[in-house]
């Protein structure tokens, strides 16, 4: 059990040109990862501990807790345009959604052994998923279907990068 780390994290959107603070918020839990939209309009804070939500900080608005479903999230990242969000939960459901939580589409990622879990990385219009089972997947950004799959010698969880 971890005590609530209330207001020990602060996420701030700052305009690089002049240092103006566009928005600031203090989530009620520790944040492990922050991703920022390509246009600086919003930032997403991903909790350090398994959670069914992320924190959305929007310029001129403030901090909102966005519940994704009743499943804990495994991975959260932005699409290649930096405007929309991809989430992968512990049941292996991939979702493409608006930052505020509206789901555009979802797709189950499963094998006969169970859900496919790993870290998502945008790759052009698609996604790469480095799985905990030592497989690298390229997934369609349009609907989540598997374009190709390669087996590696070790778990890729969190150790992939994408270049066009």
């Amino acid at each position: 059990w971890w005590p609530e780390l209330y207001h020990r994290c602060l996420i701030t959107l700052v305009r690089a040109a002049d240092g103006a603070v566009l928005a600031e918020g203090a989530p009620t839990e520790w944040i492990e990862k922050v991703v920022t939209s390509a246009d600086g309009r919003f930032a997403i804070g991903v909790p350090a501990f398994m959670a069914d939500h992320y924190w959305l900080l929007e310029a001129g608005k403030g901090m909102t807790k966005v519940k994704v479903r009743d499943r804990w999230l495994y991975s959260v990242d932005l699409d290649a345009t930096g405007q929309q969000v991809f989430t992968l939960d512990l049941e292996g459901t991939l979702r493409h959604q608006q930052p505020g939580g509206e789901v555009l589409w979802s797709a189950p990622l499963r094998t006969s052994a169970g859900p496919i879990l790993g870290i998502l990385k945008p790759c052009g219009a698609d996604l790469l998923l480095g799985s905990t089972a030592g497989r690298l997947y390229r997934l369609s950004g349009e609907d989540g279907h598997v374009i190709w799959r390669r087996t590696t010698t070790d778990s890729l969880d969190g150790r992939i990068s994408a270049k066009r």
Side-chain angles (χ1 to χ4, degrees):
W1 177 80
W2 290 90
E4 193 68 28
L5 300 169
Y6 188 68
H7 290 282
R8 294 201 182 170
C9 282
L10 184 66
I11 299 175
T12 306
L13 278 176
V14 177
R15 186 172 37 236
D18 60 7
V21 174
L22 305 174
E24 199 165 61
T28 58
E29 60 198 318
W30 198 254
I31 299 299
E32 176 180 38
K33 173 182 174 182
V34 175
V35 291
T36 306
S37 66
D39 60 4
R41 192 173 46 90
F42 67 88
I44 289 179
V46 181
F49 311 110
M50 293 289 191
D52 61 356
H53 61 275
Y54 57 80
W55 294 91
L56 173 64
L57 178 64
E58 296 179 275
K61 293 185 180 179
M63 183 74 67
T64 307
K65 185 177 186 178
V66 179
K67 187 168 167 75
V68 176
R69 293 288 177 170
D70 295 326
R71 305 278 187 259
W72 284 357
L73 295 176
Y74 195 90
S75 183
V76 178
D77 213 328
L78 298 179
D79 66 358
T81 68
Q83 300 300 318
Q84 296 175 337
V85 181
F86 284 106
T87 63
L88 179 64
D89 68 26
L90 282 178
E91 296 294 318
T93 301
L94 175 66
R95 290 182 183 83
H96 188 197
Q97 58 197 63
Q98 297 291 346
E102 176 191 347
V103 176
L104 302 171
W105 56 259
S106 65
L109 300 178
R110 298 190 64 78
T111 67
S112 59
I116 299 171
L117 299 176
I119 302 300
L120 301 169
K121 296 288 182 187
C123 180
D126 298 327
L127 288 168
L128 291 179
L129 186 146
S131 81
T132 56
R135 292 186 183 90
L136 178 64
Y137 294 85
R138 184 164 189 158
L139 307 171
S140 166
E142 294 292 318
D143 61 10
H145 78 270
V146 175
I147 296 170
W148 53 254
R149 178 187 79 186
R150 304 287 182 269
T151 301
T152 64
T153 57
D154 195 8
S155 171
L156 294 170
D157 193 33
R159 297 181 308 198
I160 60 172
S161 64
K163 292 188 180 188
R164 291 182 88 165

